[in-house]
Amino acid sequence: MSLSAFIELVNKKGKDRVPFFFVVDFELQKPKVWDVDSLIDENILFNFEGFSNHQKKEAISVHAEKVYPAFETYQRAFDQVFQHLQVGNSFLVNLTAKTELITSASPSDIYHASSAKYKILYKDEWVVFSPETFVRISGSIIETCPMKGTIDAGLPGAATKLLNDPKELAEHVTVVDLLRNDLSRVSHDVQVEKFRYIEELRTNSKHLLQTSSKITGRLPVGYEANMGEIIMELLPAGSVSGAPKPMTCQVIREAEGEKRGYYTGVAGYFDGVSLNSCVLIRYIEKTGDQLFYRSGGGITAQSQVQQEYQELIDKVYVPTTGVYQNS
């Protein structure tokens, strides 16, 4: 589906108050939209903050070995990004890499074994269990809640270290400013309602702390008929790209060496009244017979390569209780 066809269809469904589900890839080349009733036939399952299009299935035990990218490989990509930061081509770049998962589990097994704010199983191609809201729209209020800054909660004084880390603060401020500007393009009365609060993410192997902020704006009357333009105007998501967006996306493509596809894209559900959507992170994709977990973090001029590599590793998890582990 072309971008123009996607926008036209979403606008029509929004205007007519017809429920729909959509996904958009990071490169904005493969947007798709479905009537909610057709998702099961397409083998697409979702659960957004407790609302699901399917019955709960009993989870099986899932075991996997994680094969992280070599540090030297990551460092080469980091160095490429850092050069662009030093000459001012970007202020913040979200750099990601792949971790291979050696497991007999399928994306469907992992979907049913995981728990998260947002879960999606897309055919047998990828599964996501995302903690991050892209945008919510309720009434005339649009809100976004970027997550930037992660630390292992088991470290002494973890919350204080995270909040006082100058690099993490700079990264968070940059993303909040970027998304505040993004919302200003589609809404008015934009404000940062909550700045840099701590959220907890518990997994079977890690207890993580992340910092988030809440930014809101007010949409014009009749925005539903322009919902397609609103979604596209905000993409790609600033928390998983960087700033400024156009040049930073070029830096990402150069450093990562391949398209991301639906990883770090967005997905959303419109129920006829309200929209809820997420950023496609905490993402596992199937390539041939192999599964790859994609993760990363924001790089700034204050970043240290070893710390950024560790953050990439810390984010490789499935949020379950005792059913996903290194073998």
Side-chain angles (χ1 to χ4, degrees), residues 43-45 54-62 103-115 119-129 284-286 291 318 320:
N43 193 22
I44 299 171
L45 307 182
H54 63 91
Q55 293 183 338
K56 186 175 180 179
K57 179 180 177 180
E58 185 176 353
I60 67 170
S61 294
V62 175
T103 177
S104 61
S106 67
S108 177
D109 295 332
I110 295 170
Y111 174 86
H112 290 290
S114 64
S115 60
K119 294 201 307 177
I120 304 167
L121 174 66
Y122 185 83
K123 306 178 186 289
D124 196 39
E125 297 176 19
W126 51 265
V127 59
V128 66
F129 33 91
I284 298 172
E285 64 186 8
K286 187 175 182 180
L291 294 181
V318 172
T320 62

Side-chain angles (χ1 to χ4, degrees), residues 99-217:
T99 293
E100 184 181 358
L101 300 180
I102 300 175
T103 177
S104 61
S106 67
S108 177
D109 295 332
I110 295 170
Y111 174 86
H112 290 290
S114 64
S115 60
K117 183 184 291 188
Y118 301 98
K119 294 201 307 177
I120 304 167
L121 174 66
Y122 185 83
K123 306 178 186 289
D124 196 39
E125 297 176 19
W126 51 265
V127 59
V128 66
F129 33 91
S130 175
E132 183 170 356
T133 300
F134 174 52
V135 294
R136 293 190 189 93
I137 301 176
S138 182
S140 62
I141 302 300
I142 183 170
E143 69 174 57
T144 186
C145 301
M147 302 181 75
K148 268 298 167 195
T150 306
I151 195 170
D152 186 336
L155 296 175
T160 300
K161 286 182 179 179
L162 179 57
L163 290 174
N164 292 339
D165 188 316
K167 179 267 174 182
E168 298 290 2
L169 174 60
E171 181 182 348
H172 198 92
V173 168
T174 300
V175 169
V176 168
D177 187 57
L178 173 63
L179 295 187
R180 181 174 57 186
N181 290 335
D182 280 354
L183 286 196
S184 295
R185 296 206 300 270
V186 300
S187 63
H188 58 278
D189 295 337
V190 175
Q191 57 184 311
V192 181
E193 287 197 2
K194 295 174 67 178
F195 178 71
R196 210 162 175 248
Y197 54 90
I198 294 284
E199 290 189 315
E200 296 186 19
L201 295 173
R202 292 185 177 273
T203 80
N204 66 302
S205 60
K206 286 275 188 180
H207 177 197
L208 303 177
L209 300 181
Q210 292 194 316
T211 50
S212 297
S213 289
K214 180 180 178 181
I215 310 163
T216 63

